[in-house]
Amino acid sequence: MGRNRFASAVRLAAVLALVALLAACAQKKAPAPKAGAGITPAEARAVATEAYLYGYPLVTMEMTRRVMTNVAAPENGHAPMNEFAHVRRFPPANFRDVTMPNADTLYSTAWLDLSAGPMVLSLPDTRGRYYLMPILSAWTGVIASPGSRTTGTGQQTYVLTGPDWRGSLPPDAREIKSPTNMVWILGRTSCTGTASDYESVHALQNRYTLKPLSAWGKPYDPPVGRADPAVDMKTAVRDQVDAMPAGPYFRLLAKLLRDNPPAPGDAPLLARMAALGLVPGKDFDLGELPPELALAAAGAPRDGQARMASAARSTAQVVNGWSVDLKMGVYDSDYTRRALTAHRSLAANLPQDAVYAVSTGWYRGEGKYVVRFPAGQLPPVNGFWSLTLYDGEYFFAANPLNRFSLGSRDALKTGEDGSVTIHVQHESPGPDKESNWLPAPEKEFNLVLRLYWPKSAPPSILDGSWAPPEIELAR
């Protein structure tokens, strides 16, 4: 190459480098797109409502976690993080931690934070006693469900790992990888409620153990927790979440998204949320939006809750006046149905583990109702079944018998024709029928029929070859 051509090439390269440098500087100085730029109030309202429904399970899980772990040591169904809390008796009428609580198994629950490392879950041999130990991600999806149906009742060891963990496992331990660092174990062990059976179940609960993988094979004492007086321990979690204004709600959601990664399929919605400034891990301030957009987005809680109420009438099959949802536990991108489930029955099981049939009508205690199972047509289950009554807010209703459900564990009277009739009303149906009486409040209530480990072969609720009988007025 000649001297002139070489000099020209050098000058051209210098010019191109200068242009690139100036462009880079200009790009660095260019202000980031302002939140809400290019969208209308109607679009802001629609996206905010989508984001509200999308985040409802995650926010509800976090608020539930705060309440259930806000203690220094395990007590009354509460425990610090990474430690089991055992319910030793059936929940009382004033229980408000979880909607639609169970009245025929004893809970063993634990909230885990896997960001600091894996946790080892050890389960004893239950000697054939029915139990299930569903493990849920922060988004309420069931990621694993050890127990009688899936893994049997023998001794088992699992290592629960977070989304970014890689490493080796102890011998004979199986890994359960969670897509989120927040994990909720919501175990249930069947119990008849008698003094001797309580004792037997307590012995099993004491052998449900958790410890960090780093402490495996070593002595371990769980650290003492800390109770935060700022946490509202009196108001039901659902009421706390539903009362949150849009600003604090979305600020909490953005924070939670940092440690509990969204699923890949959530990317389209996340892109729309970003237009409002709602980005995982980034502090959200509703006041940074233009006033007309902030006003539109502020209506998201009202609009989202209205959409959930509407969806409640269309997300499940209705058979004989019962709503039967066979798609719980796995939600994919159906954010409204997932939010509705978190609102009505947080931590729902897989249908193979349990099916909840919810009465579509609301009833009042002055009426006298019956649920009659014809001979040979009791709920077909491998585990057990129960019929539970809830008040208008899906909590237990106090009654003189302190009875909230009837089912497999109860000595129900059988009619001369082999049928079993359950009487649901406020006043006693009479001494000869009290064994089959499910006491109702004077105000509104509804019923939930649970089938644990429903049979898969006909007759089965899973394929529709069996259905709950209608709720009828007593004759």
Side-chain angles (χ1 to χ4, degrees):
M1 180 184 293
R3 181 180 299 175
N4 291 337
R5 291 179 63 191
F6 178 77
S8 298
V10 171
R11 286 195 297 273
L12 177 60
V15 169
L16 292 175
L18 179 60
V19 170
L21 178 62
L22 291 174
C25 291
Q27 186 176 12
K28 289 181 180 179
K29 292 180 180 179
K34 191 173 181 179
I39 62 175
T40 67
E43 291 170 334
R45 179 174 179 175
V47 172
T49 301
E50 281 187 283
Y52 182 86
L53 292 168
Y54 170 70
Y56 192 91
L58 184 59
V59 171
T60 301
M61 287 282 277
E62 169 61 15
M63 298 297 285
T64 304
R65 182 199 66 79
R66 292 181 184 183
V67 169
M68 296 188 71
T69 62
N70 194 43
V71 289
E75 61 177 40
N76 300 324
H78 296 65
M81 292 293 295
N82 299 330
E83 192 170 350
F84 265 117
H86 302 295
V87 174
R88 305 295 193 175
R89 293 288 188 274
F90 294 132
N94 62 357
F95 182 79
R96 290 293 184 273
D97 288 352
V98 179
T99 54
M100 293 177 65
N102 184 318
D104 45 21
T105 65
L106 295 183
Y107 289 102
S108 295
T109 71
W111 288 90
L112 310 184
D113 178 6
L114 301 179
S115 62
M119 295 293 297
V120 180
L121 168 65
S122 297
L123 303 175
D125 186 347
T126 68
R127 298 186 181 277
R129 180 183 293 269
Y130 179 85
Y131 83 102
L132 70 162
M133 196 68 61
I135 300 168
L136 292 88
S137 75
W139 294 98
T140 70
V142 177
I143 57 178
S145 187
S148 300
R149 178 184 69 86
T150 57
T151 57
T153 59
Q155 184 175 353
Q156 301 163 46
T157 303
Y158 299 94
V159 179
L160 280 67
T161 63
D164 301 321
W165 184 83
R166 301 291 184 276
S168 56
L169 303 176
D172 301 322
R174 286 172 277 183
E175 181 181 10
I176 296 176
K177 178 163 286 295
S178 171
T180 60
N181 283 312
M182 184 201 305
V183 169
W184 190 13
I185 301 175
L186 189 53
R188 301 169 179 88
T189 307
S190 64
C191 183
T192 64
T194 64
S196 61
D197 210 42
Y198 271 142
E199 184 177 347
S200 297
V201 175
H202 295 170
L204 288 174
Q205 290 178 315
N206 293 339
R207 295 170 62 200
Y208 296 151
T209 62
L210 285 163
K211 67 165 45 180
L213 179 59
S214 59
W216 184 247
K218 308 173 187 175
Y220 174 73
D221 291 317
V224 176
R226 185 180 71 86
D228 183 354
V231 174
D232 185 348
M233 301 292 287
K234 296 181 180 179
T235 307
V237 169
R238 183 181 60 194
D239 293 341
Q240 293 187 47
V241 175
D242 288 355
M244 290 178 69
Y249 180 96
F250 288 133
R251 188 179 304 118
L252 177 57
L253 174 59
K255 179 181 178 181
L256 293 171
L257 285 168
R258 179 187 62 203
D259 296 325
N260 302 287
D266 299 339
L269 176 55
L270 290 172
R272 295 194 293 276
M273 290 164 51
L276 287 178
L278 185 50
V279 178
K282 179 181 177 182
D283 188 42
F284 177 80
D285 185 355
L286 193 63
E288 292 183 355
L289 290 172
E292 66 276 11
L293 299 186
L295 181 62
R302 179 184 64 252
D303 293 345
Q305 291 168 33
R307 190 178 295 182
M308 280 192 278
S310 177
R313 298 187 290 270
S314 60
T315 55
Q317 294 180 326
V318 176
V319 183
N320 294 338
W322 298 88
S323 175
V324 181
D325 191 342
L326 299 177
K327 297 180 180 179
M328 288 187 170
V330 178
Y331 307 98
D332 298 322
S333 297
D334 194 340
Y335 307 131
T336 300
R337 185 166 58 84
R338 185 176 67 181
L340 173 63
T341 303
H343 184 268
R344 292 180 58 174
S345 53
L346 184 66
N349 294 294
L350 296 170
Q352 293 82 5
D353 278 322
V355 172
Y356 297 174
V358 183
S359 63
T360 57
W362 286 92
Y363 307 91
R364 295 187 67 87
E366 61 263 24
K368 297 180 179 180
Y369 305 93
V370 295
V371 180
R372 181 179 181 275
F373 299 97
Q377 296 186 35
L378 287 173
V381 293
N382 294 305
F384 61 93
W385 65 271
S386 68
L387 181 68
T388 307
L389 185 147
Y390 297 101
D391 66 16
E393 296 182 336
Y394 292 99
F395 295 118
F396 290 150
N399 64 80
L401 298 184
N402 200 36
R403 178 185 291 172
F404 310 123
S405 69
L406 286 172
S408 302
R409 72 174 189 271
D410 300 296
L412 298 174
K413 283 188 177 180
T414 302
E416 293 181 359
D417 60 355
S419 65
V420 173
T421 300
I422 295 178
H423 301 267
V424 186
Q425 58 191 64
H426 183 62
E427 300 294 338
S428 171
D432 60 325
K433 297 178 181 177
E434 279 199 352
S435 63
N436 292 28
W437 175 37
L438 191 53
E442 291 184 287
K443 296 182 178 180
E444 66 179 3
F445 67 88
N446 84 337
L447 298 170
V448 175
L449 179 65
R450 285 180 170 88
L451 286 76
Y452 277 87
W453 191 1
K455 292 185 176 181
S456 55
S460 170
I461 197 170
L462 295 176
D463 64 8
S465 56
W466 182 90
E470 292 184 18
I471 301 168
E472 301 176 310
L473 283 170
R475 298 173 182 175

